[in-house]
Amino acid sequence: ARRAALRCAAPLRARGRCWREVDKFERGVFARERDHDSARCAKACVARGAPRAACGAMSRQQQPFIEDVEESQRIPLLLTKLKQCEQRCDFSNPRVDFVRKEIKRKALVNIIDYLNDTPGIFENTNIYGPIVRMVAANLFRALELNTAGDDLYDPEEDEARLEPAWPHLQIVYEILRKFVVAAETDPKVARKYLDQAFVLGLLDLFNSEDPREREYLKTIIHRIYGKIMSLRAFIRTSIQNTFHYYIYEHQQHNGIAEMLEILGSIINGFATPLKDDHRAFLIRSLIPLHTPKGLPTYHVQLSFCVTQFVEKEPELAYDVVMGLVRIWPITHSRKEVMFLNELEEILELTRPEEFELFIDPLFRYLARCINSSHFQVAERALFFWNNEYIVHLILHFREQVLPLVFESLQGNVQRHWNQNVVSLSHNVQKLMAEMDIELYEHYADEWAARVQMCAEFERERQRRWARVEELAARNKALSQGDGDTRSCATSSTTSVRLPLPAISAPRTVPLVSVKPPARSNMSAVPSAALGSVSSVLSGPDASLSLSSSSSTPLIPSCVPLSPDRTSSLQRSLELSHGMVSNGLKSSSSRERSDAGRNYGSGVDRRLKSQSSDAGVEESNVEIMLLSEPGEVGDSAGHVAQQFASRSSNFKEHDRNRNGRDVSKRSGTSSALAYEHATNNAQSGLRDAALATDRAVNGPSSNGPDSRRLAGHDAAPDVFRG
């Protein structure tokens, strides 16, 4: 019938129907089978002349009470009633099978009364099997779990769902308890029926929401553990597996507290020294039980089990405290209070030699709890100093404890919002000062110095931010001033305003003053004199001063130029000589100084040679760097930095060669830097002369270099040179 019911119910499961509907369908199949068997049994009884009531479990007629029959018929009638009570009734609907429910209830009551009133009844081992089978048929069932989600169900606040079949189940549990507790029950025979499968079924029933059922199960499992020795290891292992399932998989179980109560009494009976599997059970199962969100429902029982282990072996205090510190709650204030309660109980059982091992991590977390904004956490942490034994331990190790909690206590006294916490912190400070006044004053002085240093740091930080704001306001004012126009004021009577491209970041650029050549044949001016004039600007705050003597103008008067050509020539002079002046600028490093000197000497010799070839007098060029060393823009200092970098690379390359001394390496790098500077200077002067010729004589559209125009259009080629 069972297999047939499962085959018929398979399509319902495949269609995802509710389990209640499947169970109802199965119960209907069983009911039809029972009615068929009952009718067949009744026919057999009538055929052999027996009364109809003799069909026992399958009859709807009430059996006589066991006390009303003869002594020889009582045991057979007891077995008949046990067989009759194996049939379960449907309690989902109170109006269904009311007569059968009442008959079964009376039969169960008659059985328990007979077992209680008959001394030595369990000496008869023939009733062990029927009792266990009847109990298993009634208790082992599918439990209805809560319909709400795991996040919505709270075992403490939500009302527990009571078992509707409790009128029958309570009597069944009483029969099982009477059978297990009875002194005359033979354990050797009982363990054949109370096997591992039966015990595992009882442990699964701990997940029932009915607290009455869990209380019966707790008593029965504990009695089985004490009576049948062979099942002890299995019971401990099964409970451990249930804990692991709860911790790492589902985190929803109703019987963790009752299981921990059973373990509390079991741990109390452990012999010392503890076995390795007992220590492993503490570390791997009990300590991780502090992590689930349902800890408040079983923390009292869990704390009792942990303290039992520490009481058996004080050396385990280190493992327990470090395990709690490792999983300490950060944002759950209620769990923090529970952890503090448990820690105080553990510290009361801790010896000084174990206490010394975990002072640092323990009191770091205590200091954080003392400084907690949640007043209950802070108060509970400060209550540690009300325990005389803990104060005695702190007194022995005050040099290690005081620096860990001093800052938190001082912070509470000065800043905590709760007045009770402030007064408790002040009392703890007095207690610590009475322990060792010199040590307390020492850390008080350190605290004052640290506070002063923090205040100075804060003032310096504010000053720096004020300076940043001041510079930002100045840059904003400058950017809103002239826009893209920069003024260049001369040191004498001449002042030229040059339109320059805007640059995002202000930089200080070398200002160059040029003394022009004497008046002579100016036909060769673009080749000689124009190669060593002024510098290009690199920032919005820079200005170019082109100074000339009052007797000699910057551009000779013998050259007839229009105003447009004059401004174009002026820009060409500035842009062409930017490479030369920036190449002469040197940095503080030796490599850049060597590169600058080689570059400058090469330019001088090149200028002299070009001047002699063109027949022009030697020009007196005076270059004055008016800015501080190192303050140069990215564009203006690009050439000098490139020469210095290549010079240093040449030196590094030579340094890797073997058999060369320092003087030879320096000579080689200087020669290479000079050669490179000379080539670049020659190319730059050639481009500058070409740009100046175009500015004076006008661009030639027929030449190959017609794209190089005067003014800003010549700047890319000049910089490329």
Side-chain angles (χ1 to χ4, degrees), residues 76-137:
L77 185 57
L78 173 63
L79 298 178
T80 302
K81 286 181 175 289
L82 290 173
K83 182 66 176 178
Q84 181 184 9
C85 293
E86 292 182 10
Q87 306 298 328
R88 288 194 297 177
C89 299
D90 183 13
F91 283 87
S92 59
N93 189 354
R95 299 180 180 179
V96 176
D97 290 341
F98 179 78
V99 177
R100 293 182 65 250
K101 294 175 185 177
E102 184 64 21
I103 292 174
K104 181 178 178 180
R105 188 190 67 80
K106 291 181 180 180
L108 291 172
V109 171
N110 188 215
I111 291 172
I112 189 63
D113 291 340
Y114 178 73
L115 295 178
N116 290 330
D117 297 339
T118 305
I121 185 61
F122 293 104
E123 293 179 356
N124 187 358
T125 58
N126 295 327
I127 64 174
Y128 289 2
I131 289 177
V132 173
R133 285 193 294 270
M134 187 272 295
V135 170

Side-chain angles (χ1 to χ4, degrees), residues 559 584 654 689:
V559 181
L584 292 175
D654 293 338

Side-chain angles (χ1 to χ4, degrees), residues 139-158:
L139 298 184
F140 298 161
R141 66 199 186 280
L143 298 176
E144 292 188 14
L145 301 180
N146 60 83
T147 57
D150 294 342
D151 297 334
L152 302 177
Y153 177 71
D154 188 359
E156 291 185 320
E157 297 182 1
D158 296 344

Side-chain angles (χ1 to χ4, degrees), residues 323-349:
L324 294 179
V325 166
R326 186 169 58 251
I327 59 176
W328 194 274
I330 302 299
T331 59
H332 201 310
S333 58
R334 185 179 180 186
K335 287 180 70 173
E336 278 190 288
V337 174
M338 294 178 182
F339 274 52
L340 292 171
N341 292 331
E342 186 173 353
L343 274 178
E344 184 175 359
E345 296 178 2
I346 293 171
L347 291 179
E348 290 178 352
L349 303 172

Side-chain angles (χ1 to χ4, degrees), residues 95 176 184 299 307 398 474 509-510 546 560 643 721:
R95 299 180 180 179
L176 179 60
E184 60 269 15
H299 180 262
T307 53
R398 56 186 179 275
R474 182 185 303 176
V509 183
L546 303 176
F643 292 156

